[in-house]
Amino acid sequence: ILNVEQSPQSLHVQEGDSTNFTCSFPSSNFYALHWYRWETAKSPEALFVMTLNGDEKKKGRISATLNTKEGYSYLYIKGSQPEDSATYLCAPISGSARQLTFGSGTQLTVLP
Amino acid sequence: SQTIHQWPATLVQPVGSPLSLECTVEGTSNPNLYWYRQAAGRGLQLLFYSVGIGQISSEVPQNLSASRPQDRQFILSSKKLLLSDSGFYLCAWSVTSYYEQYFGPGTRLTVT
C-alpha cells in the first residue's frame, strides 16, 4: 500500500480566492496519478489522470501539475466558487500496485 | 452511455447479521470492478477488485467477501457483520486499472 499524503486536511476560502493543495506520494515506480472531486451526497468524480513528469492538466478553473521525480502533485483552483466546495482526493498508481491508493483528501469550503 | 447502479442506498443491520450489497454496470463490457469503503473520519479504502468473471483480488483481510457472478455484476457480502463494518460503501468501474474510475451512488451501512 502506497503512503499518500494530502495537505491541508481542510481549507476555508472566500469566494473569488484562488487556492491550491498538495498530494505527496512515493516517487519510485510511479505509473499514474488520479485526482477526484467528491461533493457531499454525491459520488467521487474524476478530474484528471496524469502520467508524465511535468504534466499539466486543466478543466475550467481547476488545474493540476505533476512532479514524478520528487513525488508530488498540486491542484489549483482559480477564483473559487461555492460550488467548488468538496473533498479533493488524489490517488497514485505504482507500476507494481496496479490499483489506486487514495489519500485522505483535502476538504475545501468556499464561503460566499 | 455507461451507468453504474448500487443498492440499497442505506442499510441498518444488527451485529452478526449477513450482508449483501449489489453493484451492476451497464453500457460496457468486461470492466474492472471495485469495492471501496469509507469509514467514519477516514479516506477511501480499496476492499476488492475484479478484472473478470470469477476473478477477485482482496486488498484488506476482513470478514467481507466479494463475488462477480456475471460480467457486469459485483457483489459484496458478509456472513456476520461487525460494528467496524459500518461505513459508506462505493462500487466503481474502469476500463482498466490505470484509467479513471466511475463511482456508483454508494450504500450507507450502519451496523448496530
Tab-separated table of all heavy atoms in Angstrom, chain A residues 4-7 21-25 33-37 48 72-75 87-93 100-106, chain B residues 44:
chain	number	residue	atom	x	y	z
A	4	VAL	N	0.287	7.893	0.847
A	4	VAL	CA	-0.186	9.079	0.135
A	4	VAL	C	-0.618	10.123	1.155
A	4	VAL	O	-1.434	9.813	2.033
A	4	VAL	CB	-1.385	8.728	-0.777
A	4	VAL	CG1	-1.799	9.946	-1.587
A	4	VAL	CG2	-1.038	7.563	-1.684
A	5	GLU	N	-0.059	11.301	1.038
A	5	GLU	CA	-0.408	12.361	1.975
A	5	GLU	C	-0.972	13.558	1.224
A	5	GLU	O	-0.411	13.986	0.211
A	5	GLU	CB	0.823	12.792	2.778
A	5	GLU	CG	1.331	11.699	3.700
A	5	GLU	CD	2.484	12.157	4.573
A	5	GLU	OE1	2.855	13.342	4.500
A	5	GLU	OE2	3.026	11.318	5.312
A	6	GLN	N	-2.067	14.100	1.744
A	6	GLN	CA	-2.655	15.296	1.162
A	6	GLN	C	-2.691	16.394	2.216
A	6	GLN	O	-3.002	16.141	3.374
A	6	GLN	CB	-4.072	15.014	0.663
A	6	GLN	CG	-4.103	14.128	-0.570
A	6	GLN	CD	-5.472	14.064	-1.195
A	6	GLN	OE1	-6.124	13.021	-1.187
A	6	GLN	NE2	-5.922	15.185	-1.749
A	7	SER	N	-2.369	17.588	1.772
A	7	SER	CA	-2.410	18.724	2.696
A	7	SER	C	-2.902	19.967	1.974
A	7	SER	O	-2.686	20.117	0.769
A	7	SER	CB	-1.009	18.964	3.285
A	7	SER	OG	-0.103	19.287	2.248
A	21	PHE	N	-3.749	22.903	-3.258
A	21	PHE	CA	-3.412	21.882	-2.284
A	21	PHE	C	-2.459	20.866	-2.884
A	21	PHE	O	-2.250	20.840	-4.096
A	21	PHE	CB	-4.635	21.168	-1.682
A	21	PHE	CG	-5.952	21.477	-2.297
A	21	PHE	CD1	-6.518	20.596	-3.189
A	21	PHE	CD2	-6.637	22.634	-1.963
A	21	PHE	CE1	-7.748	20.855	-3.752
A	21	PHE	CE2	-7.875	22.893	-2.511
A	21	PHE	CZ	-8.431	22.011	-3.414
A	22	THR	N	-1.893	20.064	-1.982
A	22	THR	CA	-0.775	19.197	-2.348
A	22	THR	C	-1.105	17.727	-2.128
A	22	THR	O	-1.793	17.376	-1.170
A	22	THR	CB	0.462	19.536	-1.486
A	22	THR	OG1	0.736	20.917	-1.607
A	22	THR	CG2	1.665	18.728	-1.927
A	23	CYS	N	-0.577	16.908	-3.015
A	23	CYS	CA	-0.628	15.454	-2.862
A	23	CYS	C	0.804	14.946	-2.952
A	23	CYS	O	1.500	15.219	-3.933
A	23	CYS	CB	-1.486	14.846	-3.974
A	23	CYS	SG	-1.433	13.043	-4.051
A	24	SER	N	1.260	14.220	-1.928
A	24	SER	CA	2.609	13.646	-1.930
A	24	SER	C	2.519	12.135	-1.987
A	24	SER	O	1.676	11.533	-1.307
A	24	SER	CB	3.365	14.056	-0.663
A	24	SER	OG	3.468	15.449	-0.579
A	25	PHE	N	3.420	11.532	-2.760
A	25	PHE	CA	3.374	10.079	-2.948
A	25	PHE	C	4.783	9.578	-3.217
A	25	PHE	O	5.680	10.364	-3.560
A	25	PHE	CB	2.447	9.732	-4.122
A	25	PHE	CG	2.770	10.492	-5.377
A	25	PHE	CD1	3.715	10.018	-6.277
A	25	PHE	CD2	2.156	11.711	-5.658
A	25	PHE	CE1	4.028	10.727	-7.419
A	25	PHE	CE2	2.457	12.423	-6.798
A	25	PHE	CZ	3.407	11.936	-7.677
A	33	LEU	N	-1.278	9.215	-11.742
A	33	LEU	CA	-1.923	9.862	-10.606
A	33	LEU	C	-3.304	10.334	-11.029
A	33	LEU	O	-3.454	10.969	-12.072
A	33	LEU	CB	-1.105	11.057	-10.114
A	33	LEU	CG	-1.748	11.762	-8.922
A	33	LEU	CD1	-1.304	11.114	-7.616
A	33	LEU	CD2	-1.398	13.243	-8.886
A	34	HIS	N	-4.291	10.021	-10.205
A	34	HIS	CA	-5.661	10.470	-10.438
A	34	HIS	C	-6.032	11.541	-9.427
A	34	HIS	O	-5.626	11.473	-8.265
A	34	HIS	CB	-6.654	9.314	-10.251
A	34	HIS	CG	-6.557	8.222	-11.269
A	34	HIS	ND1	-7.641	7.454	-11.641
A	34	HIS	CD2	-5.518	7.757	-11.993
A	34	HIS	CE1	-7.266	6.573	-12.539
A	34	HIS	NE2	-5.986	6.711	-12.773
A	35	TRP	N	-6.830	12.513	-9.867
A	35	TRP	CA	-7.473	13.472	-8.970
A	35	TRP	C	-8.993	13.308	-9.104
A	35	TRP	O	-9.511	13.207	-10.220
A	35	TRP	CB	-7.109	14.913	-9.325
A	35	TRP	CG	-5.804	15.390	-8.792
A	35	TRP	CD1	-4.630	15.504	-9.469
A	35	TRP	CD2	-5.537	15.875	-7.471
A	35	TRP	NE1	-3.647	16.007	-8.655
A	35	TRP	CE2	-4.187	16.246	-7.413
A	35	TRP	CE3	-6.318	16.021	-6.305
A	35	TRP	CZ2	-3.573	16.768	-6.267
A	35	TRP	CZ3	-5.721	16.525	-5.164
A	35	TRP	CH2	-4.366	16.898	-5.153
A	36	TYR	N	-9.669	13.295	-7.947
A	36	TYR	CA	-11.126	13.182	-7.922
A	36	TYR	C	-11.706	14.296	-7.067
A	36	TYR	O	-11.087	14.748	-6.095
A	36	TYR	CB	-11.577	11.837	-7.329
A	36	TYR	CG	-11.286	10.648	-8.219
A	36	TYR	CD1	-10.020	10.062	-8.229
A	36	TYR	CD2	-12.257	10.121	-9.060
A	36	TYR	CE1	-9.742	8.987	-9.052
A	36	TYR	CE2	-11.987	9.040	-9.892
A	36	TYR	CZ	-10.727	8.482	-9.878
A	36	TYR	OH	-10.447	7.420	-10.696
A	37	ARG	N	-12.926	14.686	-7.411
A	37	ARG	CA	-13.677	15.629	-6.590
A	37	ARG	C	-14.874	14.890	-6.021
A	37	ARG	O	-15.603	14.202	-6.753
A	37	ARG	CB	-14.167	16.824	-7.414
A	37	ARG	CG	-15.080	17.764	-6.633
A	37	ARG	CD	-15.341	19.036	-7.379
A	37	ARG	NE	-15.995	18.785	-8.658
A	37	ARG	CZ	-16.044	19.680	-9.637
A	37	ARG	NH1	-15.476	20.855	-9.490
A	37	ARG	NH2	-16.662	19.390	-10.756
A	48	PHE	N	-8.798	14.506	-13.200
A	48	PHE	CA	-7.647	14.351	-14.087
A	48	PHE	C	-6.989	12.984	-13.871
A	48	PHE	O	-7.021	12.451	-12.778
A	48	PHE	CB	-6.577	15.424	-13.783
A	48	PHE	CG	-7.067	16.835	-13.804
A	48	PHE	CD1	-7.080	17.588	-12.640
A	48	PHE	CD2	-7.503	17.431	-14.980
A	48	PHE	CE1	-7.528	18.891	-12.642
A	48	PHE	CE2	-7.955	18.730	-14.998
A	48	PHE	CZ	-7.970	19.467	-13.820
A	72	TYR	N	5.160	14.618	-6.057
A	72	TYR	CA	4.066	15.469	-5.607
A	72	TYR	C	3.255	15.980	-6.790
A	72	TYR	O	3.723	16.022	-7.934
A	72	TYR	CB	4.557	16.630	-4.737
A	72	TYR	CG	5.436	17.625	-5.429
A	72	TYR	CD1	4.883	18.663	-6.186
A	72	TYR	CD2	6.829	17.553	-5.340
A	72	TYR	CE1	5.696	19.576	-6.828
A	72	TYR	CE2	7.641	18.467	-5.983
A	72	TYR	CZ	7.063	19.473	-6.723
A	72	TYR	OH	7.868	20.387	-7.351
A	73	SER	N	2.032	16.355	-6.476
A	73	SER	CA	1.139	16.968	-7.445
A	73	SER	C	0.404	18.097	-6.748
A	73	SER	O	0.065	17.986	-5.562
A	73	SER	CB	0.135	15.933	-7.975
A	73	SER	OG	-0.798	16.537	-8.852
A	74	TYR	N	0.190	19.195	-7.470
A	74	TYR	CA	-0.573	20.314	-6.945
A	74	TYR	C	-1.889	20.436	-7.712
A	74	TYR	O	-1.926	20.248	-8.925
A	74	TYR	CB	0.182	21.632	-7.119
A	74	TYR	CG	1.448	21.766	-6.307
A	74	TYR	CD1	2.589	22.336	-6.873
A	74	TYR	CD2	1.502	21.351	-4.985
A	74	TYR	CE1	3.759	22.488	-6.133
A	74	TYR	CE2	2.669	21.494	-4.245
A	74	TYR	CZ	3.787	22.062	-4.824
A	74	TYR	OH	4.936	22.195	-4.095
A	75	LEU	N	-2.935	20.744	-6.975
A	75	LEU	CA	-4.220	21.067	-7.595
A	75	LEU	C	-4.504	22.528	-7.298
A	75	LEU	O	-4.411	22.957	-6.142
A	75	LEU	CB	-5.333	20.182	-7.024
A	75	LEU	CG	-6.660	20.289	-7.773
A	75	LEU	CD1	-6.621	19.419	-9.024
A	75	LEU	CD2	-7.830	19.859	-6.902
A	87	THR	N	-14.563	17.598	-1.270
A	87	THR	CA	-13.303	16.982	-0.867
A	87	THR	C	-12.571	16.567	-2.127
A	87	THR	O	-13.148	15.930	-3.009
A	87	THR	CB	-13.549	15.761	0.029
A	87	THR	OG1	-14.191	16.189	1.235
A	87	THR	CG2	-12.239	15.073	0.385
A	88	TYR	N	-11.311	16.944	-2.207
A	88	TYR	CA	-10.490	16.644	-3.383
A	88	TYR	C	-9.529	15.527	-3.004
A	88	TYR	O	-8.740	15.657	-2.065
A	88	TYR	CB	-9.761	17.901	-3.863
A	88	TYR	CG	-10.738	18.901	-4.439
A	88	TYR	CD1	-11.442	19.760	-3.610
A	88	TYR	CD2	-10.984	18.953	-5.811
A	88	TYR	CE1	-12.377	20.657	-4.129
A	88	TYR	CE2	-11.908	19.839	-6.346
A	88	TYR	CZ	-12.599	20.685	-5.491
A	88	TYR	OH	-13.535	21.558	-6.015
A	89	LEU	N	-9.606	14.436	-3.754
A	89	LEU	CA	-8.829	13.238	-3.465
A	89	LEU	C	-7.796	13.010	-4.554
A	89	LEU	O	-8.092	13.160	-5.735
A	89	LEU	CB	-9.739	12.003	-3.425
A	89	LEU	CG	-10.873	11.990	-2.414
A	89	LEU	CD1	-11.844	10.861	-2.722
A	89	LEU	CD2	-10.319	11.810	-1.018
A	90	CYS	N	-6.591	12.655	-4.133
A	90	CYS	CA	-5.622	12.201	-5.121
A	90	CYS	C	-5.385	10.712	-4.914
A	90	CYS	O	-5.559	10.186	-3.802
A	90	CYS	CB	-4.314	12.982	-5.046
A	90	CYS	SG	-3.281	12.594	-3.620
A	91	ALA	N	-4.991	10.036	-5.977
A	91	ALA	CA	-4.802	8.583	-5.911
A	91	ALA	C	-3.728	8.179	-6.916
A	91	ALA	O	-3.988	8.127	-8.116
A	91	ALA	CB	-6.119	7.856	-6.200
A	92	PRO	N	-2.514	7.894	-6.428
A	92	PRO	CA	-1.476	7.418	-7.336
A	92	PRO	C	-1.598	5.921	-7.583
A	92	PRO	O	-2.232	5.194	-6.805
A	92	PRO	CB	-0.182	7.721	-6.573
A	92	PRO	CG	-0.572	7.670	-5.140
A	92	PRO	CD	-2.008	8.111	-5.070
A	93	ILE	N	-0.991	5.507	-8.694
A	93	ILE	CA	-0.851	4.084	-9.001
A	93	ILE	C	0.627	3.839	-9.222
A	93	ILE	O	1.262	4.547	-10.001
A	93	ILE	CB	-1.581	3.684	-10.287
A	93	ILE	CG1	-3.036	4.117	-10.267
A	93	ILE	CG2	-1.494	2.187	-10.527
A	93	ILE	CD1	-3.748	3.857	-11.577
A	100	LEU	N	-5.420	1.971	-7.503
A	100	LEU	CA	-5.352	3.287	-6.875
A	100	LEU	C	-5.218	3.163	-5.364
A	100	LEU	O	-5.834	2.300	-4.754
A	100	LEU	CB	-6.630	4.080	-7.172
A	100	LEU	CG	-6.966	4.371	-8.630
A	100	LEU	CD1	-8.263	5.165	-8.696
A	100	LEU	CD2	-5.841	5.152	-9.284
A	101	THR	N	-4.411	4.055	-4.795
A	101	THR	CA	-4.376	4.228	-3.346
A	101	THR	C	-4.789	5.663	-3.085
A	101	THR	O	-4.079	6.587	-3.464
A	101	THR	CB	-2.970	3.979	-2.781
A	101	THR	OG1	-2.569	2.645	-3.065
A	101	THR	CG2	-2.969	4.201	-1.270
A	102	PHE	N	-5.940	5.847	-2.442
A	102	PHE	CA	-6.456	7.186	-2.227
A	102	PHE	C	-5.823	7.840	-1.009
A	102	PHE	O	-5.626	7.197	0.038
A	102	PHE	CB	-7.973	7.145	-2.023
A	102	PHE	CG	-8.744	7.027	-3.303
A	102	PHE	CD1	-9.053	5.780	-3.824
A	102	PHE	CD2	-9.160	8.150	-3.986
A	102	PHE	CE1	-9.755	5.653	-5.008
A	102	PHE	CE2	-9.871	8.040	-5.176
A	102	PHE	CZ	-10.169	6.791	-5.694
A	103	GLY	N	-5.532	9.137	-1.138
A	103	GLY	CA	-5.194	9.929	0.023
A	103	GLY	C	-6.459	10.232	0.812
A	103	GLY	O	-7.571	9.923	0.360
A	104	SER	N	-6.284	10.834	1.978
A	104	SER	CA	-7.441	11.122	2.833
A	104	SER	C	-8.198	12.366	2.382
A	104	SER	O	-9.287	12.635	2.876
A	104	SER	CB	-7.006	11.258	4.285
A	104	SER	OG	-5.985	12.210	4.381
A	105	GLY	N	-7.624	13.113	1.442
A	105	GLY	CA	-8.356	14.217	0.831
A	105	GLY	C	-8.127	15.566	1.482
A	105	GLY	O	-7.676	15.672	2.631
A	106	THR	N	-8.438	16.613	0.722
A	106	THR	CA	-8.478	17.989	1.229
A	106	THR	C	-9.918	18.453	1.110
A	106	THR	O	-10.486	18.447	0.006
A	106	THR	CB	-7.559	18.921	0.432
A	106	THR	OG1	-6.202	18.567	0.669
A	106	THR	CG2	-7.788	20.372	0.837
B	44	LEU	N	-10.897	6.781	1.504
B	44	LEU	CA	-11.411	5.656	0.733
B	44	LEU	C	-10.424	4.496	0.769
B	44	LEU	O	-9.270	4.662	0.407
B	44	LEU	CB	-11.624	6.064	-0.726
B	44	LEU	CG	-12.962	6.644	-1.113
B	44	LEU	CD1	-12.956	6.969	-2.595
B	44	LEU	CD2	-14.092	5.716	-0.776
